[in-house]
Amino acid sequence: MQTRKEKVRIQAIDEQGNPLSNATISIKQNKLRFPFGCAINKNILSNTAYQDWFTSRFGVTAFEDEMKWYSTEATRGQVDYSVPDAMMAFAKQHNIAVRGHNVIWDDPKYQSGWVNSLSPSDFRTAVQARVGSVMTRYRGRLIAWDVVNENMHFSFVESKLGQNASSVIYNSAGKTDGLTTLFLNEYDTIEKSGDGAASPAKYLQKLKEIQSFPGNANLRMGIGLESHFTVPNLPYMRASLDTLASANVPIWLTEVDVQGNPAQQVRDLRCKNYNLPSYRASSNCSGGVRLLSCRR
């Protein structure tokens, strides 16, 4: 396995700054330098075993469902952030960084009934309200936003608002919280070579499309790769990441899971990821005893 090492020079001194000879030094790593995370759900608020398991292992998180539109506005106009607010407070208490997941989900399966019933005009208004509501509430408190989730495989907002709908939403997101990185979160870009909808080349094309939309040139964009592996093809993954790195934006593995017995494969994934200088990796997995088992 590859490792990254640096030489460290340690000098023990007394209160006056004089070197101490024959000093015994003990070093304990209290925090991972490598950003490694795990998704959480609302059960963590009342389960101390869950809390202890999570806080002793991870420094980054995303909420499974609690920040999503169908959770915070199950009924039109009745917005409730009480649960994600409590989860944000828990994360802050334990110095856990939070990724915002997600603002809009482009998969038609994950829309509330009232959203499906809207006319295009009313849907546009509702989307604008959603972006302004959730992003204003958590502005400056997150390390990332998944803005229009999985909009290379799905096109719910585009079917309602036109081909440039996602680019328009990213534009609104940038105006609402322009200091937080806005991610294009997608699956099958590095997992398998046979999914033409989200290949590395198609991904870069979509990213360029969003960035080239009027007003989006200076957006703080990021590449989010869900990373739902059956058996990781590490050479293909490495080549795909090298291709994506040409965009010169942060790259995160956002929802890593590996089927079967994942321990060695996860170590290989972390090792490969850590040694690519152009990106950072975060594995956001669901709670429990399974190493990496995530929900999109």
Side-chain angles (χ1 to χ4, degrees), residues 48-292:
T48 55
Y50 188 179
Q51 294 173 8
D52 293 343
W53 176 86
F54 177 83
T55 57
S56 65
R57 290 166 171 81
F58 304 106
V60 182
T61 195
F63 304 163
E64 289 185 4
D65 292 311
E66 289 80 3
M67 200 178 282
K68 293 172 183 172
W69 194 4
Y70 57 69
S71 295
T72 61
E73 193 177 2
T75 302
R76 187 179 186 183
Q78 297 181 19
V79 181
D80 183 0
Y81 291 115
S82 58
V83 174
D85 280 354
M87 294 172 72
M88 287 291 296
F90 170 82
K92 182 179 180 180
Q93 177 186 355
H94 295 280
N95 198 29
I96 304 295
V98 180
R99 298 186 75 257
H101 181 71
N102 51 51
V103 179
I104 301 290
W105 200 345
D106 226 352
D107 189 339
K109 291 190 304 182
Y110 297 103
Q111 310 301 325
S112 296
W114 69 267
V115 171
N116 276 308
S117 67
L118 295 177
S119 67
S121 177
D122 286 344
F123 179 68
R124 186 186 307 276
T125 300
V127 166
Q128 291 172 344
R130 162 65 178 174
V131 172
S133 175
V134 71
M135 295 191 73
T136 298
R137 189 172 192 87
Y138 299 113
R139 181 168 51 205
R141 300 163 63 188
L142 304 172
I143 59 171
W145 283 107
D146 292 332
V147 180
V148 185
N149 200 49
E150 298 177 350
N151 66 340
M152 297 181 66
H153 282 96
F154 304 105
S155 55
F156 180 76
V157 295
E158 287 79 5
S159 70
K160 293 271 193 178
L161 303 179
Q163 189 59 39
N164 289 328
S166 291
S167 297
V168 173
I169 293 171
Y170 275 88
N171 183 273
S172 297
K175 292 176 180 177
T176 306
D177 188 2
L179 297 181
T180 302
T181 305
L182 310 177
F183 277 80
L184 181 64
N185 196 46
E186 194 52 82
Y187 64 91
D188 277 0
T189 301
I190 63 172
E191 294 96 315
K192 58 182 70 173
S193 59
D195 190 339
S199 67
K202 285 288 185 67
Y203 193 110
L204 291 176
Q205 180 181 338
K206 185 67 175 182
L207 183 65
K208 184 177 180 180
E209 175 187 314
I210 294 170
Q211 292 173 317
S212 62
F213 186 80
N216 287 358
N218 295 319
L219 290 181
R220 296 169 63 99
M221 294 291 296
I223 291 174
L225 305 170
E226 294 185 10
S227 309
H228 300 293
F229 295 100
T230 302
V231 177
N233 181 337
L234 295 179
Y236 173 74
M237 176 181 137
R238 179 68 183 253
S240 298
L241 289 167
D242 286 342
T243 298
L244 294 168
S246 67
N248 197 32
V249 299
I251 301 177
W252 284 69
L253 306 191
T254 57
E255 302 180 18
V256 178
D257 60 71
V258 182
Q259 295 182 16
N261 183 2
Q264 181 60 50
Q265 294 167 337
V266 170
R267 284 194 293 269
D268 289 345
L269 286 172
R270 291 185 67 190
C271 183
K272 288 290 185 182
N273 299 339
Y274 191 72
N275 282 278
L276 286 175
S278 58
Y279 77 102
R280 306 167 74 189
S282 171
S283 304
N284 291 334
C285 57
S286 62
V289 297
R290 293 173 294 175
L291 260 178
L292 292 168

